[in-house]
Amino acid sequence: LISSPSMFPRFLAVAALLCAVHAADVPTQVHIAQGDVSPTSMVVSWVSTLPALGFVKFGTSSGSYSNSASEQEAPLQYNFTSAYQPGVYHSGFNHHVKIQGLQPATRYYYVCGSANGQSQEFSFMNNPHVGPEVAISFAVTADLGQTSDSKNTMQHMLSDPSMTMTLLLGDLSYADAADNPASKGGVPCTQTRWDSWGVMMEPLAATNPIMYCPGNHEMELGPPPGTQIPFLAYQTRFRMPFKESGATNGNLYFSFNVASVHVIMLNSFMDFSSDSPQYKWLSNDLQQIDRSITPWVVAGMHAPWYNSNSHHQDEPEEANMRTAMESLLHQYSVDVVFAGHVHAYERTHPVFNNITCKPTDGCPTYINIGDGGNREGHALGWIGQPSWSAFQGDQFGHGRLDIINSTHALWGWHTILNPESQVSDSVYLVHSSGKKGVTAVPVDPLSNVRQLIKETSAHW
């Protein structure tokens, strides 16, 4: 009740302020991902405080949005409880809107939101069409977290716009919301870290499509009475092209084509036995690849199959998954397999069944890139260097994969020791003419390779 006429103007001012705050439901944690098996669509995702259906307005000129797409299902919200901490975490509303009919190698400008408020303008360069000689550059990282080192890694990737897609191989936010903080040295273990991570990542994630696979830190499965749904936050917050690639378990595994590459993302922390849905899906996916269209095949997972670091040695997710699936990847001559989990860097020679292969044997090269910068620190210590191990490193950083054409790619490991990332390991990956498999060739000089990539990109 208003006790006197003199209070009425103050009441109106407060009411107007509350209405303005309510209406200005500005999207946060904006991020994008390729929305189909080819780069003709993009999924724009964000978090809001209100459940209104969202939209994306987009076009090829800044400030001019000639196209729009509306949210086709209600935004997703979830609750999370921990056995070790009181209270219930209530997420914001997670929106996923697919914008379609995108032209290759074209810059798009967009805003997202709802009737209650919209974002600032973002832009992205859509990736090139799918074809055997089409070039593309990926950023590759894992075990990122949200430390100062994590931010440096993210900024290094953001500073190079020629990398038009990022592969992030699990262990994203280190929210660890199901864990006992006391067992982790008292560090925060809470779902709110998903929100702070989303805010940290927005400058990169809103402008560069990031394709994720889950790691152990995405499971967030603790004892009752805590939440008993594994991967709950990961499944709710992101939208990968799983349906479009024939998968049936949400974002847990999927595949897509981009440029001259077929990319497969797998899950180390669910059933991968020969009678599992994941294994059957993988077998079918590999059979469907047309190497005359996508001559490069790249796989990603979180837990590495080949690892000579003293950390995470022969864990079940590594040894058992390799036993179940390695023959499949070898049979179909997968070129490169990326992983994380171990907070260090390692590149192998082509290898199968613990034996170093000849370049024409069709064996994958394994690259562990779990050095994104997370709060658990470096994985220091090696158990020697097996014959299949080509390079070991224990600095934080990220990788860059340049697909130049159907026969040549360039891989580089970039550490974040300096304000500008430093290339500490770099090799060509070369397809043998008419034969299966790749071989690694030392790079010298690097500048000539960059020029070749630039010239090849001109034909997109």
Side-chain angles (χ1 to χ4, degrees), residues 88-423:
V88 179
Y89 169 85
H90 304 282
S91 79
F93 293 91
N94 293 266
H95 302 258
H96 306 289
V97 176
K98 182 185 287 191
I99 59 176
Q100 303 185 71
L102 303 182
Q103 296 301 307
T106 301
R107 180 162 294 280
Y108 285 90
Y109 300 83
Y110 73 94
V111 295
C112 61
S114 71
N116 298 312
Q118 69 180 34
S119 70
Q120 68 183 75
E121 180 183 84
F122 298 101
S123 74
F124 63 88
M125 175 63 74
N126 194 35
N127 276 304
H129 65 277
V130 175
E133 301 297 333
V134 182
I136 187 173
S137 296
F138 298 90
V140 188
T141 190
D143 301 80
L144 190 57
Q146 45 191 306
T147 67
S148 59
D149 290 311
S150 313
K151 294 175 183 177
N152 285 340
T153 296
M154 190 267 288
Q155 287 295 330
H156 281 147
M157 293 189 295
L158 180 63
S159 68
D160 188 349
S162 66
M163 296 188 291
T164 55
M165 177 173 279
T166 298
L167 306 180
L168 210 172
L169 305 160
D171 284 5
L172 313 181
S173 71
Y174 284 77
D176 300 329
D179 292 352
N180 185 350
S183 69
K184 302 179 77 69
V187 298
C189 297
T190 168
Q191 283 287 314
T192 59
R193 285 176 57 80
W194 275 110
D195 298 312
S196 58
W197 188 80
V199 170
M200 181 195 83
M201 290 295 292
E202 186 180 82
L204 175 67
T207 58
N208 181 293
I210 302 181
M211 311 306 287
Y212 306 90
C213 70
N216 53 299
H217 285 268
E218 279 67 67
M219 291 185 71
E220 297 186 304
L221 185 62
T227 294
Q228 296 297 294
I229 304 174
F231 306 107
L232 178 59
Y234 172 79
Q235 292 275 51
T236 305
R237 292 173 180 267
F238 304 102
R239 184 64 72 244
M240 299 292 106
F242 63 92
K243 291 180 182 178
E244 294 79 359
S245 57
T248 57
N249 280 291
N251 302 318
L252 301 183
Y253 52 87
F254 59 93
S255 67
F256 61 95
N257 296 324
V258 62
S260 51
V261 190
H262 182 75
V263 180
I264 300 168
M265 292 295 213
L266 298 172
N267 189 346
S268 306
F269 299 92
M270 65 181 299
D271 191 0
F272 40 67
S273 61
S274 60
D275 60 351
S276 68
Q278 180 175 205
Y279 182 98
K280 292 176 181 178
W281 171 86
L282 173 62
S283 177
N284 183 69
D285 188 79
L286 289 167
Q287 292 176 49
Q288 300 304 313
I289 299 171
D290 185 344
R291 300 296 279 258
S292 70
I293 297 175
T294 54
W296 292 94
V297 179
V298 171
M301 64 193 72
H302 185 64
W305 293 357
Y306 287 90
N307 164 38
S308 62
N309 193 281
S310 58
H311 292 70
H312 297 300
Q313 266 294 315
D314 288 331
E315 294 177 342
E317 296 82 8
E318 301 164 357
N320 295 345
M321 190 179 190
R322 198 189 95 195
T323 298
M325 292 182 165
E326 185 179 22
S327 292
L328 264 183
L329 270 58
H330 178 249
Q331 177 183 350
Y332 291 97
S333 300
V334 172
D335 297 303
V336 182
V337 179
F338 290 112
H341 201 40
V342 178
H343 302 161
Y345 170 78
E346 185 167 21
R347 173 176 57 82
T348 75
H349 300 292
V351 59
F352 173 65
N353 198 25
N354 270 314
I355 299 174
T356 304
C357 300
K358 297 177 183 177
T360 57
D361 285 346
C363 306
T365 294
Y366 291 82
I367 297 175
N368 302 341
I369 192 76
D371 57 346
N374 71 87
R375 67 186 181 184
E376 294 178 354
H378 300 284
L380 301 175
W382 303 86
I383 56 173
Q385 190 162 16
S387 60
W388 46 256
S389 178
F391 192 99
Q392 300 167 329
D394 52 17
Q395 299 296 324
F396 284 142
H398 66 90
R400 176 184 174 121
L401 178 63
D402 295 306
I403 303 296
I404 302 169
N405 53 35
S406 62
T407 60
H408 286 70
L410 172 66
W411 167 255
W413 175 47
H414 298 241
T415 59
I416 57 171
L417 295 171
N418 304 309
E420 294 185 4
S421 60
Q422 175 179 323
V423 181

